[in-house]
Amino acid sequence: MRDFTADHSALALNTASLGHNLDGAGAGWSPERVIDACAARGYGGIVFWRREIGARAAEIGNRVRAAGLQVAGLCRTPYLVGREAPRDAAELYASVEMAADLGAPVLTIVTGGTEPGSKGVIETQKRLADRVAAIAPVAAAAGVALALEPLNPMFGGNRTCIFTVADALAVADSVAAPNVGVAVDVYHVWWDRTLAASLAAARGRVLGYHLCDWLENTRHMLLDRGMMGDGVADLHAIRRAVEDSAGYRGFCEVEVFSAENWWKRDPSEVLDVIVDRFRRHC
Ligand code: ZN
């Protein structure tokens, strides 16, 4: 496992930590201001959300690299399954194109929930695999990998049909495309005592590692994530499994959705705290 106590070059900011995943949240910094603030603090990468990129993907990607950072990824595809999934694939294709234009090596997939007219998740997982299989070659041609992100089971129904790394791997296995893997997010997997075994089976297929913490008393299931060190997730154990078992060596992306705490603070303070917590707790 890598030692981050004196080196945070593997640290990436997911701009959701500044509220950039939701309209009206956070301080509303421009991508350029975020890039400069991350560069000044020695971050290695940034992960953006589509809503802040608009038509400026190539411009923003170039700006990141000119500042000495990398675009670590893009959040995320539209839902592929479930009631809220778009009826046609145009938005999905556009998300792949945006990732390519941005120079993002990884596009994250949050799957969407159970398909209308079905129950449970098995049938939906099959349809998900079909849809990922259809987009995977398009993404590969664009130089983009697709990371299936399992969500905590409480997000079943409307947001996801995969709940564990094992679920995500099973879908990835059935797709069997070289550019399809999984994203591991502390918020979603911290509780899973089979995680280490799942990650041992995921060697070479972890495409992203997302950091936050699980607060002992979570007040909102989507928007009350904790900063690393403030909660009960065993961050060292999870990263050890991600790195030593699955062989992951990529960026560690801090993704703290926190409407009532971190999003209300000055982004400069948040970025400073992230660096400190990353070195001490991750
Ligand atoms: Zn995540």
Side-chain angles (χ1 to χ4, degrees):
M1 178 163 105
R2 294 173 288 179
D3 179 5
F4 294 148
T5 55
D7 175 9
H8 62 276
S9 58
L11 170 63
L13 174 75
N14 183 308
T15 61
S17 300
L18 305 181
H20 290 198
N21 55 320
L22 280 184
D23 284 330
W29 279 15
S30 67
E32 286 77 5
R33 194 167 176 189
V34 174
I35 292 164
D36 290 344
C38 287
R41 290 166 175 80
Y43 282 66
I46 303 181
V47 176
F48 292 101
W49 286 67
R50 278 194 289 144
R51 55 180 301 284
E52 60 192 325
I53 299 299
R56 299 203 297 137
E59 177 191 345
I60 292 171
N62 288 335
R63 183 74 159 69
V64 169
R65 290 179 285 278
L69 291 89
Q70 294 179 47
V71 178
L74 177 67
C75 291
R76 54 181 171 70
T77 63
Y79 291 153
L80 300 188
V81 291
R83 194 172 304 281
E84 293 176 37
R87 286 176 181 272
D88 67 47
E91 189 185 346
L92 177 59
Y93 282 85
S95 69
V96 170
E97 191 175 340
M98 181 184 285
D101 290 348
L102 195 57
V106 177
L107 175 62
T108 302
I109 296 174
V110 171
T111 69
T114 292
E115 286 274 89
S118 71
K119 303 279 187 183
V121 293
I122 302 300
E123 190 59 35
T124 297
Q125 287 179 353
K126 289 177 185 161
R127 292 187 202 172
L128 171 67
D130 290 343
R131 287 166 193 172
V132 174
I135 194 69
V138 177
V144 174
L146 302 171
L148 287 157
E149 180 165 351
L151 303 192
N152 191 302
M154 66 185 175
F155 292 114
N158 64 350
R159 285 181 189 271
T160 193
C161 66
I162 52 174
F163 307 113
T164 59
V165 167
D167 280 350
L169 275 177
V171 173
D173 281 347
S174 66
V175 174
N179 64 323
V180 174
V182 303
V184 179
D185 186 320
V186 164
Y187 192 73
H188 300 303
V189 305
W190 74 276
W191 56 272
D192 182 2
R193 68 186 180 82
T194 69
L195 179 65
S198 298
L199 285 169
R203 192 148 190 95
R205 290 194 291 166
V206 173
L207 301 176
Y209 178 51
H210 305 174
L211 280 164
C212 66
D213 210 334
W214 182 274
L215 297 175
E216 186 176 351
N217 292 301
T218 295
R219 294 167 296 180
H220 188 288
M221 69 181 194
L222 183 64
L223 301 179
D224 192 28
R225 293 182 175 209
M227 185 61 71
M228 300 83 73
D230 287 344
V232 297
D234 190 343
L235 298 176
H236 282 134
I238 296 170
R239 186 162 67 86
R240 186 174 299 113
V242 165
E243 296 195 358
D244 295 352
S245 297
Y248 184 72
R249 289 291 182 276
F251 283 112
C252 300
E253 158 187 346
V254 174
E255 185 181 38
V256 180
F257 300 4
S258 174
E260 297 302 323
N261 185 357
W262 297 98
W263 290 359
K264 291 190 166 174
R265 302 194 193 199
D266 180 342
S268 300
E269 178 198 351
V270 177
L271 293 173
D272 287 338
V273 170
I274 286 173
V275 171
D276 176 63
R277 299 295 184 87
F278 181 73
R279 287 180 166 225
R280 286 197 292 132
H281 295 284
C282 297

